[in-house]
């Protein structure tokens, strides 16, 4: 086949793949937005649910989702970065380390309900935290931890070796090189892992089903040991329980729209921080 024709066919296939992907992603956003916008109001965002969750607002579910997602990232991000730094910069290159890396990558693919059962057995029962924000946050942290470690490792491996050698040649210690050169250079890539992790932590239902979420409450959480409503579980409850499916479906699509906005907003903030960090260290 002629080289030019082959190249054009390759470009056409790539362009078609992009268009198909954008079409499906756009369809999801459009469908949720059209169905959910009608339910959005100030009262919907700020009031407590009432009349068996067929009226009122979703304020406790929004607050619960923010608490759970923030707690998960708070636990997982420093732990994941520290683990990745050790594996990339300090651990010996042997079979044991390769097995640890392979295990971390495999854990990233474990179904979320498995993490939910783990959280129930360890945090809720063994440590006695009960069904609470703390148990849910720790369970979500365990779920997103492999992804953060894997992304951070890839970012650290991408730092040019010449930067390490230049820093060491100037008399810096290995720790000073890691702290002042390698981690700041890899930080934009690490934040990409956080962006993906936030979206997964905010949208998962199974891990919080047994560890943090309650079906219905008219109270706001008072401590990290309080159980909470959460948007993903609230959507599940509205679509599977209750006696007024029409009104509950309207509220469920409103919740899905708010959850979508929540994830996109956090991702946008993380992307802005990443771009600023990239600009600082590139310039």
């Amino acid at each position: 086949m002629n080289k030019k024709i082959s190249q054009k066919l390759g470009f056409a296939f790539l362009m078609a793949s992009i268009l198909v992907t954008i079409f499906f992603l756009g369809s999801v956003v459009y469908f949720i937005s059209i169905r959910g916008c009608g339910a959005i109001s100030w009262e919907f965002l700020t009031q407590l649910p009432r009349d068996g969750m067929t009226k009122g607002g979703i304020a406790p579910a929004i607050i619960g989702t923010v608490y759970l997602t923030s707690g998960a990232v708070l636990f997982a991000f420093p732990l994941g970065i520290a683990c990745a730094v050790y594996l990339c910069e300090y651990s010996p290159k042997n079979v044991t380390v390769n097995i640890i890396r392979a295990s971390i990558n495999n854990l990233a693919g474990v179904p979320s309900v498995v993490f939910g059962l783990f959280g129930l057995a360890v945090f809720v029962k063994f440590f006695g935290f009960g069904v609470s924000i703390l148990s849910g946050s720790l369970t979500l942290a365990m779920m997103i931890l492999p992804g953060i470690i894997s992304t951070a490792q890839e970012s650290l491996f991408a730092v040019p070796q010449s930067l390490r050698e230049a820093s060491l040649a100037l008399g810096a210690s290995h720790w000073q090189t890691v702290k002042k050169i390698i981690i700041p250079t890899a930080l934009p890539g690490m934040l990409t892992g956080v962006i993906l992790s936030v979206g997964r932590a905010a949208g998962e239902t199974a891990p919080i089903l047994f560890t943090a979420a309650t079906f219905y409450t008219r109270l706001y959480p008072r401590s990290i040991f309080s159980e909470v409503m959460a948007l993903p579980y609230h959507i599940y409850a509205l679509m599977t329980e209750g006696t007024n499916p029409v009104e509950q479906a309207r509220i469920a699509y409103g919740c899905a729209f708010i959850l979508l906005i929540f994830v996109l907003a956090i991702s946008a903030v993380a992307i802005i921080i990443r771009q600023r960090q990239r600009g600082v260290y590139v310039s």
Side-chain angles (χ1 to χ4, degrees):
M1 181 182 293
N2 185 286
K3 291 182 179 179
K4 291 185 177 179
I5 295 176
S6 175
Q7 177 175 286
K8 288 181 179 179
L9 288 175
F11 286 156
F13 174 76
L14 296 176
M15 185 61 69
S17 300
I18 293 173
L19 293 176
V20 170
T21 302
I22 293 175
F23 172 76
F24 281 113
L25 293 177
S27 298
V28 172
V29 175
Y30 176 78
F31 180 79
I32 296 299
S33 300
I34 291 297
R35 293 291 187 95
C37 277
I40 306 302
S41 66
W42 179 248
E43 291 74 18
F44 184 75
L45 299 176
T46 58
Q47 290 186 355
L48 298 168
R50 63 177 188 271
D51 295 346
M53 297 192 297
T54 58
K55 293 182 180 178
I58 58 169
I62 295 175
I63 292 174
T65 302
V66 171
Y67 282 170
L68 291 170
T69 306
S70 303
V73 174
L74 191 65
F75 285 120
F77 182 65
L79 193 60
I81 299 302
C83 183
V85 168
Y86 177 78
L87 289 174
C88 294
E89 301 295 332
Y90 291 99
S91 65
K93 296 179 180 178
N94 53 34
V95 176
T96 303
V97 173
N98 290 334
I99 291 174
I100 292 174
R101 285 180 178 147
S103 302
I104 291 172
N105 292 331
N106 289 330
L107 278 174
V110 171
S112 57
V113 69
V114 175
F115 286 100
L117 292 174
F118 169 81
L120 173 65
V122 176
F123 301 124
V124 176
K125 301 292 185 182
F126 182 77
F127 287 109
F129 297 151
V131 177
S132 63
I133 295 174
L134 182 59
S135 295
S137 297
L138 289 171
T139 304
L140 288 172
M142 293 297 103
M143 185 188 69
I144 65 176
L145 190 57
I148 291 178
I149 295 173
S150 298
T151 308
Q153 284 189 102
E154 294 301 323
S155 302
L156 292 169
F157 283 136
V159 177
Q161 185 64 24
S162 58
L163 288 179
R164 295 176 174 84
E165 294 171 352
S167 177
L168 295 173
L170 291 173
S173 65
H174 194 179
W175 169 242
Q176 287 174 322
T177 301
V178 169
K179 181 181 176 183
K180 295 185 179 296
I181 303 296
I182 297 175
I183 292 179
T185 306
L187 191 58
M190 295 177 179
L191 289 176
T192 301
V194 176
I195 293 170
L196 299 174
S197 301
V198 166
R200 192 181 180 196
E204 284 288 353
T205 303
I208 62 174
L209 188 65
F210 313 117
T211 59
T214 182
F215 179 76
Y216 175 70
T217 179
R218 290 184 57 81
L219 299 174
Y220 290 107
R222 297 179 178 179
S223 73
I224 59 174
F225 297 104
S226 300
E227 58 184 7
V228 291
M229 295 180 68
L231 287 171
Y233 184 63
H234 195 49
I235 295 170
Y236 169 78
L238 288 168
M239 298 302 288
T240 56
E241 304 289 343
T243 57
N244 192 342
V246 175
E247 184 61 22
Q248 290 178 196
R250 185 185 69 84
I251 297 175
Y253 280 113
C255 290
F257 181 70
I258 295 300
L259 184 59
L260 186 65
I261 297 297
F262 176 73
V263 173
L264 292 178
I266 294 179
S267 298
V269 171
I271 289 172
I272 292 172
I273 295 174
R274 182 184 63 183
Q275 291 302 111
R276 287 185 176 180
Q277 290 292 326
R278 182 173 294 170
V280 167
Y281 291 102
V282 168
S283 61

